[in-house]
Amino acid sequence: MHAAVVRSFDAPPRFETFPTPSPQGEHEILVDVVAAGLHPRVRSAANGSHYTSGGSLPMVPGIDAVGRTSDGELLYFVASDGAVGTMAEQAVVDRRRAITLPADTDPIAVAAAMNPGMSSWVALRSRLNFQPGASVLVLGATGNAGRLAVQIAKLLGAERVVGAGRSPERLQLLKDLGADAVVPLNGSDQEIANTLAREAADVDVVIDYLWGQPTEQAIPAILKARTDRSKALHWVQIGSMAGQDISLPSAFLRAGNLNLLGSGQGSVGTHAILAELPALAHEISTGALTGESVAMPLRQVHEAWGMHISPSQRIVLTNN
């Protein structure tokens, strides 16, 4: 078969021939891959920087996809650990890690939105006991996952959602997706702190895709402005687009009810993640959750890897 093949962690994958994988277990089948998303998680695995990377080459990247069985069934699936990746003409699917999609589903929309949508969906549904009526701040709301997080928070019953990001133009678009307020993160430190204090002082949950300096600014700004510092603030760390580390004075953990936790592969079990897939896929398939996708044929994977797109978009590789 043809696949995107990584032969060096220092170079993008190329469209090459690669041995077709074979089903091994009783629950495994071989499917034709229809569409696979080029997610940040896929990029980090392909350059060897992800914390789960085993360092073995050559490899085929791709962690999920939409595929079609030999009898025409359309599936969304998450690749098994250690399996050949999904950016290929064919992939092995463990039926226990797959869900059936309606026949009229747009496979590109599902391939683009499931992985980024899963981050906030799982965080709110499995990592937290999120209750309707709560309020949410999304740090990094102008990216693909952040845009979906705004929509998901509203869909799950958030009374108020605040989106924070660097692009004023994309921030304004969030209001059409359900954001009640927006916070630009491109002013002076004092301007950012003042706006966070005004718009997000009493939120219940922060979904954080940024970490780094924005989080260092946001934690003290919000905690100092809270009406009741003993009210729980659940800070869920999902991404680190702005930096891997923060400096957090210990006093903030004593002077407020700050609960720092992460949500991702390892902190949430595989079964818990898989259990959330049908409901999330339904919302995407019906159009209740929308993302922005850029479809490109798999044979152009090398060009796709270096293509400049908006942070709110997601490249999807297709087998046409």
Side-chain angles (χ1 to χ4, degrees), residues 11-206:
R14 293 188 176 275
F15 186 69
E16 301 178 7
T17 57
F18 197 84
T20 303
S22 299
Q24 301 295 323
E26 60 174 315
H27 299 287
E28 293 185 345
I29 59 171
L30 188 67
V31 302
D32 293 326
V33 176
V34 178
L38 178 47
H39 314 301
R41 166 70 175 82
V42 175
R43 291 181 183 274
S44 62
N47 65 27
S49 66
H50 195 265
Y51 62 87
T52 63
S53 177
S56 298
L57 293 175
M59 64 167 288
V60 174
I63 57 173
D64 67 344
V66 175
R68 195 177 301 278
T69 67
S70 58
D71 58 4
E73 183 182 8
L74 197 64
L75 303 176
Y76 169 77
F77 65 96
V78 177
S80 300
D81 297 338
V84 174
T86 60
M87 290 185 169
E89 291 176 326
Q90 294 180 297
V92 169
V93 174
D94 185 330
R95 291 300 303 243
R96 296 169 298 181
R97 300 168 69 101
I99 58 174
T100 301
L101 299 171
D104 60 351
T105 296
D106 179 352
I108 294 174
V110 171
M114 280 293 285
N115 176 268
M118 201 182 306
S119 62
S120 58
W121 183 278
V122 169
L124 293 174
R125 299 249 300 187
S126 295
R127 200 73 174 98
L128 292 175
N129 183 24
F130 185 76
Q131 297 296 317
S135 55
V136 178
L137 167 65
V138 180
L139 278 180
T142 54
N144 189 276
R147 281 168 51 93
L148 283 163
V150 168
Q151 299 174 65
I152 286 169
K154 275 293 186 180
L155 185 68
L156 296 181
E159 181 178 349
R160 189 166 187 270
V161 178
V162 180
R166 293 191 182 279
S167 169
E169 296 81 9
R170 289 195 290 270
L171 279 175
Q172 291 306 310
L173 294 175
L174 292 177
K175 293 183 177 180
D176 294 331
L177 300 176
D180 299 284
V182 295
V183 176
L185 297 178
N186 54 355
S188 68
D189 289 352
Q190 192 59 56
E191 288 172 335
I192 294 171
N194 290 343
T195 309
L196 284 167
R198 182 177 69 250
E199 301 292 355
D202 291 317
V203 296
D204 301 291
V205 177
V206 177

Side-chain angles (χ1 to χ4, degrees), residues 197-220:
R198 182 177 69 250
E199 301 292 355
D202 291 317
V203 296
D204 301 291
V205 177
V206 177
I207 300 292
D208 186 353
Y209 290 101
L210 298 179
W211 208 237
Q213 184 182 10
T215 299
E216 286 189 359
Q217 293 175 311
I219 288 177

